Amino acid sequence: MRHDDARGYRVNTPILTTKKLTLSFDEGRIHALNGVDLRVEEGEFVAITGPSGCGKSSLLHLLAALEEPDAGQRWFRGCAYEDMDDIACFRQQHIGLVFQAFHLLPTLNVLDNVLLPAVPTGRQMADHACDLLQRVGMDHRLQQYPAQLSGGERQRVAIARALINQPDILLADEPTGSLDSVSAGYVLQLLSELRQSMGLTMLMVTHDTDIARQADRQICMRDGRVIA
Ligand SMILES: Nc1ncnc2c1ncn2[C@@H]1O[C@H](COP(=O)(O)OP(=O)(O)OP(=O)(O)O)[C@@H](O)[C@H]1O
Ligand SMILES: [Mg+2]
């Protein structure tokens, strides 16, 4: 039997579900997604693989509610995205995002970059940010700027930033794609430890078959569809 929790989400349902998601660009000339059905359980680590242009980033963007689909549906713990009162608030509370190119703000130091997603919440998060930066091994660089950090260090800061609002789901788009193999191994190990200690659900896009093998489950996409 299903029960609603205090915030109206159903428990004992998948954390994410999609049905027949489609997304196109250029007035329908480019089909990025062609009917994606997905089901992700709480706490799962899912690797998303597939050739360039098959729709992996597009899928993450729809799950993060950064884009709207042409058709199809998305649910978070049984609640349809279109029924949510404030989709930005949903994203802020439940989704953490990590990108291949880090996307740190160059004019903010490490601590302020991590604190940035917490600004709209109005909560004082400096202690939490320092704690996260300690967990990613960057607490000794709080006052430095992204340009003063290596690629692996920037990605560790970006991971701390993704976790500042204590999300339930981490969406990572080739988080090791810009890193050398040593830094990539470190970042991956870190993500794995954080995922387990925080009970996160993680969807990670990767081209690396060794990384994909470490996931609980692999999803392979082609031409805007999940094929396996
Ligand atoms: N803003 C956009 N405008 C037009 N076309 C786009 C846009 N974003 C994505 N596309 C197209 O949609 C398709 C899917 O793109 P997407 O970025 O999701 O692929 P991907 O699987 O993440 O590729 P990669 O592995 O190279 O990152 C591609 O054909 C791409 O060119
Ligand atoms: Mg991509």
Side-chain angles (χ1 to χ4, degrees):
M1 195 206 288
R2 288 170 172 169
H3 300 281
D4 288 359
D5 76 3
R7 290 168 302 176
Y9 298 123
R10 285 179 173 161
V11 291
N12 300 330
T13 57
I15 190 163
L16 283 175
T17 315
T18 72
K19 207 156 188 78
K20 296 187 167 55
L21 275 188
T22 66
L23 177 69
S24 63
F25 294 102
D26 201 15
E27 297 174 342
R29 281 187 280 270
I30 297 171
H31 295 276
L33 296 177
N34 288 309
V36 171
D37 293 339
L38 190 68
R39 183 188 161 112
V40 181
E41 304 297 336
E42 296 273 353
E44 252 193 317
F45 170 14
V46 178
I48 304 174
T49 60
S52 179
C54 73
K56 306 180 296 298
S57 297
S58 299
L59 177 59
L60 288 198
H61 294 165
L62 288 185
L63 295 174
L66 292 170
E67 304 248 24
E68 282 300 299
D70 298 343
Q73 280 191 291
R74 298 159 290 174
W75 292 267
F76 172 77
R77 292 180 178 152
C79 179
Y81 280 31
E82 65 259 30
D83 292 341
M84 291 179 189
D85 294 335
D86 186 339
I87 201 78
C89 183
F90 157 72
R91 186 189 313 117
Q92 196 176 72
Q93 288 183 350
H94 298 289
I95 309 281
L97 281 157
V98 179
F99 303 92
Q100 175 173 356
F102 325 129
H103 294 323
L104 297 175
L105 283 189
T107 52
L108 296 182
N109 69 25
V110 162
L111 181 59
D112 288 340
N113 260 290
V114 173
L115 282 168
L116 195 60
V119 170
T121 69
R123 292 162 66 198
Q124 296 298 321
M125 301 290 263
D127 288 347
H128 181 48
C130 289
D131 178 48
L132 283 171
L133 282 162
Q134 186 191 7
R135 295 189 68 172
V136 302
M138 289 300 294
D139 51 325
H140 59 305
R141 310 292 289 275
L142 299 183
Q143 305 302 328
Q144 295 200 298
Y145 289 84
Q148 296 171 292
L149 308 177
S150 72
E153 289 169 341
R154 284 180 213 178
Q155 196 58 300
R156 286 190 268 154
V157 174
I159 290 167
R161 179 186 55 184
L163 299 175
I164 187 74
N165 289 331
Q166 293 162 303
D168 300 291
I169 302 168
L170 192 67
L171 301 176
D173 198 349
E174 298 189 56
T176 59
S178 301
L179 305 177
D180 63 83
S181 62
V182 174
S183 301
Y186 187 93
V187 163
L188 199 70
Q189 164 112 20
L190 182 65
L191 282 171
S192 165
E193 285 167 12
L194 290 169
R195 187 180 75 82
Q196 279 169 21
S197 67
M198 295 181 174
L200 284 167
T201 302
M202 185 158 76
L203 272 71
M204 184 192 289
V205 169
T206 182
H207 283 115
D208 187 325
T209 49
D210 288 339
I211 293 176
R213 266 197 291 272
Q214 295 176 40
D216 298 325
R217 184 156 64 94
Q218 293 185 43
I219 287 174
C220 184
M221 293 183 68
R222 191 145 304 173
D223 299 330
R225 290 194 175 82
V226 173
I227 56 161

mmCIF file of all heavy atoms in Angstrom, residues 186-217:
data_model
loop_
_atom_site.group_PDB
_atom_site.id
_atom_site.type_symbol
_atom_site.label_atom_id
_atom_site.label_comp_id
_atom_site.label_asym_id
_atom_site.label_seq_id
_atom_site.Cartn_x
_atom_site.Cartn_y
_atom_site.Cartn_z
ATOM 1 N N TYR A 186 39.869 9.656 -8.572
ATOM 2 C CA TYR A 186 39.630 10.278 -7.273
ATOM 3 C C TYR A 186 38.196 10.808 -7.183
ATOM 4 O O TYR A 186 37.497 10.590 -6.184
ATOM 5 C CB TYR A 186 40.639 11.420 -7.059
ATOM 6 C CG TYR A 186 40.577 12.019 -5.681
ATOM 7 C CD1 TYR A 186 41.415 11.555 -4.660
ATOM 8 C CD2 TYR A 186 39.675 13.025 -5.391
ATOM 9 C CE1 TYR A 186 41.332 12.092 -3.393
ATOM 10 C CE2 TYR A 186 39.593 13.562 -4.119
ATOM 11 C CZ TYR A 186 40.419 13.093 -3.126
ATOM 12 O OH TYR A 186 40.322 13.620 -1.866
ATOM 13 N N VAL A 187 37.762 11.510 -8.250
ATOM 14 C CA VAL A 187 36.414 12.099 -8.255
ATOM 15 C C VAL A 187 35.353 11.003 -8.212
ATOM 16 O O VAL A 187 34.353 11.100 -7.491
ATOM 17 C CB VAL A 187 36.243 13.020 -9.493
ATOM 18 C CG1 VAL A 187 34.776 13.317 -9.782
ATOM 19 C CG2 VAL A 187 37.014 14.321 -9.281
ATOM 20 N N LEU A 188 35.596 9.933 -8.944
ATOM 21 C CA LEU A 188 34.633 8.840 -8.958
ATOM 22 C C LEU A 188 34.511 8.174 -7.591
ATOM 23 O O LEU A 188 33.415 7.897 -7.104
ATOM 24 C CB LEU A 188 35.079 7.816 -9.998
ATOM 25 C CG LEU A 188 33.970 6.907 -10.433
ATOM 26 C CD1 LEU A 188 32.953 7.680 -11.258
ATOM 27 C CD2 LEU A 188 34.519 5.744 -11.205
ATOM 28 N N GLN A 189 35.673 7.946 -6.969
ATOM 29 C CA GLN A 189 35.685 7.345 -5.630
ATOM 30 C C GLN A 189 34.931 8.241 -4.652
ATOM 31 O O GLN A 189 34.135 7.776 -3.824
ATOM 32 C CB GLN A 189 37.149 7.205 -5.199
ATOM 33 C CG GLN A 189 37.357 6.967 -3.737
ATOM 34 C CD GLN A 189 37.882 5.571 -3.482
ATOM 35 O OE1 GLN A 189 38.417 4.938 -4.390
ATOM 36 N NE2 GLN A 189 37.721 5.093 -2.284
ATOM 37 N N LEU A 190 35.166 9.541 -4.786
ATOM 38 C CA LEU A 190 34.506 10.511 -3.919
ATOM 39 C C LEU A 190 32.988 10.466 -4.109
ATOM 40 O O LEU A 190 32.221 10.413 -3.138
ATOM 41 C CB LEU A 190 35.043 11.903 -4.270
ATOM 42 C CG LEU A 190 34.528 13.065 -3.467
ATOM 43 C CD1 LEU A 190 34.952 12.937 -2.020
ATOM 44 C CD2 LEU A 190 35.067 14.355 -4.062
ATOM 45 N N LEU A 191 32.558 10.465 -5.364
ATOM 46 C CA LEU A 191 31.116 10.408 -5.639
ATOM 47 C C LEU A 191 30.505 9.144 -5.054
ATOM 48 O O LEU A 191 29.417 9.179 -4.482
ATOM 49 C CB LEU A 191 30.864 10.457 -7.157
ATOM 50 C CG LEU A 191 30.966 11.828 -7.811
ATOM 51 C CD1 LEU A 191 30.910 11.701 -9.327
ATOM 52 C CD2 LEU A 191 29.855 12.754 -7.322
ATOM 53 N N SER A 192 31.224 8.046 -5.171
ATOM 54 C CA SER A 192 30.722 6.778 -4.669
ATOM 55 C C SER A 192 30.587 6.815 -3.138
ATOM 56 O O SER A 192 29.573 6.396 -2.576
ATOM 57 C CB SER A 192 31.669 5.682 -5.131
ATOM 58 O OG SER A 192 31.448 4.533 -4.426
ATOM 59 N N GLU A 193 31.595 7.369 -2.460
ATOM 60 C CA GLU A 193 31.540 7.466 -0.991
ATOM 61 C C GLU A 193 30.417 8.394 -0.540
ATOM 62 O O GLU A 193 29.672 8.081 0.386
ATOM 63 C CB GLU A 193 32.871 7.999 -0.452
ATOM 64 C CG GLU A 193 33.978 6.966 -0.490
ATOM 65 C CD GLU A 193 35.354 7.595 -0.257
ATOM 66 O OE1 GLU A 193 35.432 8.786 0.149
ATOM 67 O OE2 GLU A 193 36.330 6.893 -0.493
ATOM 68 N N LEU A 194 30.307 9.540 -1.217
ATOM 69 C CA LEU A 194 29.269 10.510 -0.835
ATOM 70 C C LEU A 194 27.885 9.920 -1.076
ATOM 71 O O LEU A 194 26.965 10.098 -0.287
ATOM 72 C CB LEU A 194 29.431 11.806 -1.642
ATOM 73 C CG LEU A 194 30.654 12.660 -1.296
ATOM 74 C CD1 LEU A 194 30.851 13.756 -2.338
ATOM 75 C CD2 LEU A 194 30.526 13.271 0.099
ATOM 76 N N ARG A 195 27.766 9.212 -2.189
ATOM 77 C CA ARG A 195 26.476 8.616 -2.522
ATOM 78 C C ARG A 195 26.034 7.648 -1.430
ATOM 79 O O ARG A 195 24.901 7.674 -0.969
ATOM 80 C CB ARG A 195 26.588 7.874 -3.849
ATOM 81 C CG ARG A 195 25.280 7.360 -4.379
ATOM 82 C CD ARG A 195 25.492 6.652 -5.693
ATOM 83 N NE ARG A 195 26.081 5.344 -5.518
ATOM 84 C CZ ARG A 195 25.413 4.257 -5.198
ATOM 85 N NH1 ARG A 195 24.117 4.310 -5.010
ATOM 86 N NH2 ARG A 195 26.014 3.094 -5.068
ATOM 87 N N GLN A 196 26.978 6.802 -1.003
ATOM 88 C CA GLN A 196 26.611 5.818 0.002
ATOM 89 C C GLN A 196 26.341 6.461 1.356
ATOM 90 O O GLN A 196 25.382 6.114 2.047
ATOM 91 C CB GLN A 196 27.697 4.755 0.099
ATOM 92 C CG GLN A 196 27.521 3.748 -1.020
ATOM 93 C CD GLN A 196 28.674 2.803 -1.193
ATOM 94 O OE1 GLN A 196 29.458 2.619 -0.272
ATOM 95 N NE2 GLN A 196 28.779 2.222 -2.361
ATOM 96 N N SER A 197 27.187 7.419 1.752
ATOM 97 C CA SER A 197 27.002 8.007 3.082
ATOM 98 C C SER A 197 25.770 8.910 3.144
ATOM 99 O O SER A 197 25.166 9.073 4.187
ATOM 100 C CB SER A 197 28.248 8.782 3.512
ATOM 101 O OG SER A 197 28.428 9.906 2.692
ATOM 102 N N MET A 198 25.365 9.463 2.012
ATOM 103 C CA MET A 198 24.209 10.373 2.020
ATOM 104 C C MET A 198 22.940 9.713 1.484
ATOM 105 O O MET A 198 21.893 10.352 1.443
ATOM 106 C CB MET A 198 24.509 11.611 1.157
ATOM 107 C CG MET A 198 25.621 12.457 1.714
ATOM 108 S SD MET A 198 25.883 13.885 0.648
ATOM 109 C CE MET A 198 27.088 14.781 1.603
ATOM 110 N N GLY A 199 23.032 8.456 1.056
ATOM 111 C CA GLY A 199 21.852 7.768 0.532
ATOM 112 C C GLY A 199 21.324 8.387 -0.758
ATOM 113 O O GLY A 199 20.127 8.359 -1.036
ATOM 114 N N LEU A 200 22.242 8.953 -1.562
ATOM 115 C CA LEU A 200 21.830 9.620 -2.794
ATOM 116 C C LEU A 200 21.482 8.620 -3.888
ATOM 117 O O LEU A 200 22.080 7.552 -3.970
ATOM 118 C CB LEU A 200 22.994 10.443 -3.353
ATOM 119 C CG LEU A 200 23.363 11.777 -2.718
ATOM 120 C CD1 LEU A 200 24.727 12.207 -3.246
ATOM 121 C CD2 LEU A 200 22.307 12.798 -3.060
ATOM 122 N N THR A 201 20.556 9.018 -4.720
ATOM 123 C CA THR A 201 20.341 8.337 -6.001
ATOM 124 C C THR A 201 21.221 9.059 -7.013
ATOM 125 O O THR A 201 21.285 10.283 -6.998
ATOM 126 C CB THR A 201 18.861 8.478 -6.413
ATOM 127 O OG1 THR A 201 18.056 7.930 -5.376
ATOM 128 C CG2 THR A 201 18.591 7.789 -7.740
ATOM 129 N N MET A 202 21.917 8.310 -7.864
ATOM 130 C CA MET A 202 22.829 8.990 -8.794
ATOM 131 C C MET A 202 22.622 8.493 -10.232
ATOM 132 O O MET A 202 22.617 7.290 -10.485
ATOM 133 C CB MET A 202 24.283 8.771 -8.369
ATOM 134 C CG MET A 202 25.272 9.550 -9.215
ATOM 135 S SD MET A 202 26.842 9.806 -8.382
ATOM 136 C CE MET A 202 27.603 8.202 -8.544
ATOM 137 N N LEU A 203 22.463 9.431 -11.133
ATOM 138 C CA LEU A 203 22.447 9.134 -12.571
ATOM 139 C C LEU A 203 23.670 9.790 -13.171
ATOM 140 O O LEU A 203 23.832 11.011 -13.067
ATOM 141 C CB LEU A 203 21.194 9.709 -13.240
ATOM 142 C CG LEU A 203 19.947 8.832 -13.249
ATOM 143 C CD1 LEU A 203 19.363 8.734 -11.861
ATOM 144 C CD2 LEU A 203 18.924 9.387 -14.211
ATOM 145 N N MET A 204 24.536 8.972 -13.760
ATOM 146 C CA MET A 204 25.784 9.518 -14.290
ATOM 147 C C MET A 204 25.942 9.173 -15.768
ATOM 148 O O MET A 204 25.913 7.999 -16.154
ATOM 149 C CB MET A 204 26.977 8.951 -13.510
ATOM 150 C CG MET A 204 28.300 9.554 -13.961
ATOM 151 S SD MET A 204 29.710 8.666 -13.307
ATOM 152 C CE MET A 204 29.618 9.134 -11.603
ATOM 153 N N VAL A 205 26.094 10.215 -16.573
ATOM 154 C CA VAL A 205 26.420 10.011 -17.983
ATOM 155 C C VAL A 205 27.916 9.776 -18.084
ATOM 156 O O VAL A 205 28.713 10.514 -17.490
ATOM 157 C CB VAL A 205 26.035 11.253 -18.818
ATOM 158 C CG1 VAL A 205 26.606 11.155 -20.221
ATOM 159 C CG2 VAL A 205 24.530 11.421 -18.857
ATOM 160 N N THR A 206 28.297 8.748 -18.788
ATOM 161 C CA THR A 206 29.734 8.502 -18.977
ATOM 162 C C THR A 206 30.008 7.785 -20.289
ATOM 163 O O THR A 206 29.187 6.995 -20.764
ATOM 164 C CB THR A 206 30.316 7.683 -17.794
ATOM 165 O OG1 THR A 206 31.716 7.525 -18.004
ATOM 166 C CG2 THR A 206 29.650 6.320 -17.657
ATOM 167 N N HIS A 207 31.158 8.100 -20.867
ATOM 168 C CA HIS A 207 31.621 7.357 -22.041
ATOM 169 C C HIS A 207 32.548 6.217 -21.634
ATOM 170 O O HIS A 207 32.975 5.433 -22.471
ATOM 171 C CB HIS A 207 32.393 8.292 -22.984
ATOM 172 C CG HIS A 207 31.507 9.168 -23.791
ATOM 173 N ND1 HIS A 207 31.474 10.526 -23.667
ATOM 174 C CD2 HIS A 207 30.577 8.864 -24.745
ATOM 175 C CE1 HIS A 207 30.573 11.028 -24.502
ATOM 176 N NE2 HIS A 207 30.021 10.042 -25.168
ATOM 177 N N ASP A 208 32.880 6.176 -20.351
ATOM 178 C CA ASP A 208 33.908 5.269 -19.863
ATOM 179 C C ASP A 208 33.274 3.945 -19.408
ATOM 180 O O ASP A 208 32.522 3.906 -18.425
ATOM 181 C CB ASP A 208 34.638 5.968 -18.697
ATOM 182 C CG ASP A 208 35.837 5.187 -18.231
ATOM 183 O OD1 ASP A 208 35.785 3.939 -18.259
ATOM 184 O OD2 ASP A 208 36.816 5.820 -17.825
ATOM 185 N N THR A 209 33.581 2.879 -20.125
ATOM 186 C CA THR A 209 32.931 1.602 -19.799
ATOM 187 C C THR A 209 33.345 1.076 -18.427
ATOM 188 O O THR A 209 32.556 0.410 -17.755
ATOM 189 C CB THR A 209 33.255 0.530 -20.871
ATOM 190 O OG1 THR A 209 34.670 0.534 -21.089
ATOM 191 C CG2 THR A 209 32.553 0.821 -22.173
ATOM 192 N N ASP A 210 34.575 1.388 -17.984
ATOM 193 C CA ASP A 210 35.003 0.953 -16.647
ATOM 194 C C ASP A 210 34.155 1.624 -15.570
ATOM 195 O O ASP A 210 33.798 1.004 -14.562
ATOM 196 C CB ASP A 210 36.487 1.292 -16.412
ATOM 197 C CG ASP A 210 37.377 0.381 -17.228
ATOM 198 O OD1 ASP A 210 36.902 -0.710 -17.618
ATOM 199 O OD2 ASP A 210 38.534 0.768 -17.501
ATOM 200 N N ILE A 211 33.868 2.926 -15.781
ATOM 201 C CA ILE A 211 33.032 3.645 -14.817
ATOM 202 C C ILE A 211 31.611 3.088 -14.850
ATOM 203 O O ILE A 211 31.003 2.825 -13.808
ATOM 204 C CB ILE A 211 33.018 5.159 -15.133
ATOM 205 C CG1 ILE A 211 34.417 5.757 -14.894
ATOM 206 C CG2 ILE A 211 31.966 5.885 -14.301
ATOM 207 C CD1 ILE A 211 34.548 7.224 -15.262
ATOM 208 N N ALA A 212 31.106 2.889 -16.062
ATOM 209 C CA ALA A 212 29.727 2.398 -16.196
ATOM 210 C C ALA A 212 29.553 1.048 -15.495
ATOM 211 O O ALA A 212 28.508 0.778 -14.896
ATOM 212 C CB ALA A 212 29.356 2.295 -17.672
ATOM 213 N N ARG A 213 30.590 0.229 -15.528
ATOM 214 C CA ARG A 213 30.505 -1.098 -14.900
ATOM 215 C C ARG A 213 30.358 -1.018 -13.383
ATOM 216 O O ARG A 213 29.911 -1.952 -12.739
ATOM 217 C CB ARG A 213 31.735 -1.929 -15.262
ATOM 218 C CG ARG A 213 31.505 -2.803 -16.485
ATOM 219 C CD ARG A 213 32.554 -3.898 -16.567
ATOM 220 N NE ARG A 213 33.871 -3.353 -16.881
ATOM 221 C CZ ARG A 213 34.303 -3.154 -18.127
ATOM 222 N NH1 ARG A 213 33.533 -3.475 -19.137
ATOM 223 N NH2 ARG A 213 35.494 -2.660 -18.352
ATOM 224 N N GLN A 214 30.788 0.114 -12.802
ATOM 225 C CA GLN A 214 30.689 0.268 -11.343
ATOM 226 C C GLN A 214 29.280 0.622 -10.882
ATOM 227 O O GLN A 214 28.982 0.612 -9.690
ATOM 228 C CB GLN A 214 31.666 1.348 -10.872
ATOM 229 C CG GLN A 214 33.119 0.960 -11.105
ATOM 230 C CD GLN A 214 34.056 2.071 -10.719
ATOM 231 O OE1 GLN A 214 33.867 2.752 -9.729
ATOM 232 N NE2 GLN A 214 35.090 2.272 -11.521
ATOM 233 N N ALA A 215 28.399 0.959 -11.845
ATOM 234 C CA ALA A 215 27.026 1.349 -11.488
ATOM 235 C C ALA A 215 26.203 0.110 -11.123
ATOM 236 O O ALA A 215 26.544 -1.010 -11.474
ATOM 237 C CB ALA A 215 26.390 2.080 -12.659
ATOM 238 N N ASP A 216 25.092 0.345 -10.419
ATOM 239 C CA ASP A 216 24.164 -0.757 -10.127
ATOM 240 C C ASP A 216 23.527 -1.241 -11.423
ATOM 241 O O ASP A 216 23.181 -2.401 -11.575
ATOM 242 C CB ASP A 216 23.031 -0.276 -9.206
ATOM 243 C CG ASP A 216 23.544 0.207 -7.868
ATOM 244 O OD1 ASP A 216 24.531 -0.377 -7.381
ATOM 245 O OD2 ASP A 216 22.987 1.184 -7.327
ATOM 246 N N ARG A 217 23.357 -0.295 -12.359
ATOM 247 C CA ARG A 217 22.641 -0.613 -13.590
ATOM 248 C C ARG A 217 23.117 0.322 -14.683
ATOM 249 O O ARG A 217 23.429 1.474 -14.413
ATOM 250 C CB ARG A 217 21.145 -0.387 -13.342
ATOM 251 C CG ARG A 217 20.209 -0.731 -14.450
ATOM 252 C CD ARG A 217 18.828 -1.010 -13.879
ATOM 253 N NE ARG A 217 18.233 0.150 -13.248
ATOM 254 C CZ ARG A 217 17.412 1.006 -13.852
ATOM 255 N NH1 ARG A 217 17.118 0.825 -15.124
ATOM 256 N NH2 ARG A 217 16.879 2.027 -13.217
#
